[in-house]
Amino acid sequence: MRPRLHERIAQARAQRDAQSRIRVRRHVARRDGVRYEVDGHWLVGFCSNDYLGLAHQFGVVNALQDSAARDGAGGMASHLVCGHHQVHDALERELADWLQVPRALLFGSGYLANLAVVQALLGDDDVCVQDRLNHASLIDAARLAGCKLRRYPHCDAEGALRQLRSVPDVGAMVATDGVFSMDGDLAPLRELALVSRVQHALLYVDDAHGVGTLGPDGRGSVAAARLDTTAVPLQLVTFGKALGSYGAAVVGDADLVRHLAETARPYIYTTALPPAQAAASLAAVKLARREHWRREKLEAAIARFREGARKRGFELMASNTAIQPLPCGDEEHALAYAKALEAQGFWISAIRPPTVPEGKSRLRITLSALHTPADIDALLNALSWARDAIDQGFGNGAPALEHA
Ligand SMILES: *Cc1c(COP(=O)(O)O)cnc(C)c1O
């Protein structure tokens, strides 16, 4: 008998509910730096990816407004029809100059860009070898491309080598996050570059969380690992994180990038990024390149948080980036923490399966150049307080916390 889709999704939802895996959206009414008015309360946020504090930066917002007044609100058509604007070109050139690569190509989002790269380069018989903790968009990209997907244990370059050796005669790509989005640690890029070279595989680095924050002039994890386009022919830059804007670019080898521009379906069959959005990204890139103080402030925030957490007996994960997860184990524990923190005026999201593996729920604390030492100390005190409250059994749903 044919299954009823309505019944099936109702059952799946009941199961998610029983596992504390229902996701709800919160309503942000206003934002002022790291402070958010959420559902009628002001909270200090430690969950955005605006690591350099560029999303509200005056010049970035101004660039968007100026361009929108001139060029309109929309992208109007795909890049290959009449949607490719001068400012798109300027942004691509600025990126190529900053990241010291031959060419850059804009995409509507990082998600789309990942779909494009894998689809345009790999066919049905080829293999995409990926880190087990890669971002969902890379996994989906391999699935949609129809190629074989082989995963290796987290950060295990030898595991990648074994996977490549098991399929010696097909086209191969090794794809990895540069900075892992839920763990904050770095991929072993130099080892992966070596493995890729000896196996004639193409190394693709998704640097959504690295560009802007890491490496010389904020050029990202590839530059931090002292690798160039020969070793890493393609990398992903996203504008929605450290650059405070929206959209993405694939940068690297000129022939490969041209191939994407001419053949990738997620490039051809979608509306161009609005020029105003590209103008905002361009302004943000210029600031990210030269305002080193933003990275310095971010680094100071990371160091202060890690030291304070250690002093208070918290076990953090091995991350030195802006992503500082606090392991919680099961989803109830993570939710109890998030709730206790919110009661004290902090907004931090509890990350649960399927975003992370079973038993690896966590608070994903993210730091920004805009957090002051006082913000961080207050968060640390709130974390200690939340831990005590949860240990005493006032965790999930305790009314005492609601009014703290
Ligand atoms: C956020 C993210 C993406 C997707 O980028 P968007 O521009 O938000 O679509 C891709 N890869 C990683 C590692 C990310 O963190």
Side-chain angles (χ1 to χ4, degrees):
M1 200 177 65
R2 193 192 301 290
R4 300 293 158 89
L5 297 186
H6 267 94
E7 284 169 21
R8 197 156 76 189
I9 63 170
Q11 278 165 8
R13 185 168 204 281
Q15 194 181 353
R16 286 202 302 281
D17 198 11
Q19 293 175 305
S20 307
R21 287 183 191 174
I22 300 287
R23 312 258 186 123
V24 291
R25 297 179 303 181
R26 307 295 301 272
H27 299 247
V28 177
R30 274 181 295 175
R31 186 187 149 196
D32 177 12
V34 294
R35 282 161 179 77
Y36 299 79
E37 190 187 338
V38 194
D39 299 328
H41 301 280
W42 281 92
L43 299 174
V44 181
F46 282 90
C47 51
S48 107
N49 301 316
D50 182 20
Y51 306 125
L52 299 179
L54 289 172
H56 270 203
Q57 202 277 345
F58 177 78
V60 174
V61 174
N62 234 10
L64 186 131
Q65 286 176 333
D66 279 358
S67 171
R70 244 188 355 257
D71 309 315
M76 290 182 301
S78 82
H79 283 281
L80 296 179
V81 180
C82 59
H84 193 64
H85 197 280
Q86 238 174 2
V87 69
H88 293 125
D89 227 56
L91 175 56
E92 288 179 349
R93 276 186 277 105
E94 179 80 18
L95 280 171
D97 183 60
W98 178 33
L99 302 175
Q100 302 178 13
V101 293
R103 220 187 134 175
L105 184 71
L106 301 185
F107 282 87
S109 71
Y111 196 109
L112 281 179
N114 279 343
L115 298 189
V117 167
V118 184
Q119 199 175 92
L121 297 176
L122 298 182
D124 290 353
D125 298 329
D126 297 330
V127 66
C128 189
V129 174
Q130 300 206 15
D131 189 290
R132 201 157 256 301
L133 295 189
N134 271 356
H135 191 259
S137 56
L138 281 171
I139 307 294
D140 292 356
R143 288 188 180 143
L144 277 169
C147 61
K148 292 187 199 71
L149 170 62
R150 294 273 192 281
R151 299 168 84 179
Y152 55 86
H154 183 47
C155 286
D156 180 2
E158 283 194 26
L161 179 61
R162 274 195 297 277
Q163 291 289 16
L164 287 165
R165 279 194 180 137
S166 72
V167 280
D169 299 321
V170 300
M173 176 189 298
V174 174
T176 182
D177 287 16
V179 176
F180 287 88
S181 56
M182 295 300 137
D183 290 54
D185 56 346
L186 305 180
L189 292 182
R190 291 190 69 81
E191 287 89 338
L192 289 170
L194 185 63
V195 163
S196 301
R197 183 157 62 85
V198 298
Q199 284 288 316
H200 303 291
L202 186 145
L203 178 56
Y204 175 51
V205 177
D206 172 345
D207 209 20
H209 298 276
V211 166
T213 62
L214 299 180
D217 299 332
R219 284 163 46 215
S221 29
V222 172
R226 290 172 283 112
L227 294 169
D228 61 10
T229 306
T230 315
V232 183
L234 290 176
Q235 47 176 315
L236 174 71
V237 178
T238 62
F239 305 133
K241 286 160 183 160
L243 295 164
S245 174
Y246 188 79
V250 175
V251 308
D253 177 87
D255 292 340
L256 293 175
V257 171
R258 187 180 56 205
H259 177 72
L260 294 181
E262 293 176 359
T263 69
R265 298 169 67 87
Y267 185 71
I268 299 171
Y269 299 109
T270 191
T271 302
L273 267 184
Q277 199 65 56
S281 299
L282 179 58
V285 167
K286 288 180 173 166
L287 291 169
R289 285 183 81 160
R290 74 162 190 262
E291 293 195 339
H292 299 288
W293 62 266
R294 293 182 185 272
R295 277 181 289 282
E296 283 156 17
K297 282 194 73 177
L298 176 61
E299 272 159 32
I302 296 166
R304 191 177 187 97
F305 175 77
R306 285 189 69 82
E307 195 192 320
R310 211 175 300 123
K311 272 195 194 140
R312 289 167 173 81
F314 285 102
E315 283 203 27
L316 295 174
M317 292 173 65
S319 160
N320 287 313
T321 66
I323 302 165
Q324 291 291 326
L326 189 73
C328 296
D330 61 25
E331 34 273 78
E332 285 78 15
H333 202 202
L335 287 170
Y337 255 110
K339 197 166 179 181
L341 288 167
E342 182 171 339
Q344 296 176 85
F346 296 94
W347 191 7
I348 295 163
S349 53
I351 306 285
R352 295 160 280 161
T355 306
V356 291
E358 296 287 336
K360 300 267 170 109
S361 289
R362 66 199 63 179
L363 289 181
R364 181 175 180 273
I365 297 166
T366 52
L367 298 164
S368 155
L370 297 182
H371 286 122
T372 63
D375 290 332
I376 291 164
D377 294 348
L379 171 67
L380 289 163
N381 288 336
L383 278 168
S384 299
W385 186 89
R387 175 176 56 194
D388 293 347
I390 290 166
D391 285 351
Q392 288 162 29
F394 296 115
N396 221 352
L401 293 182
E402 308 275 17
H403 307 290

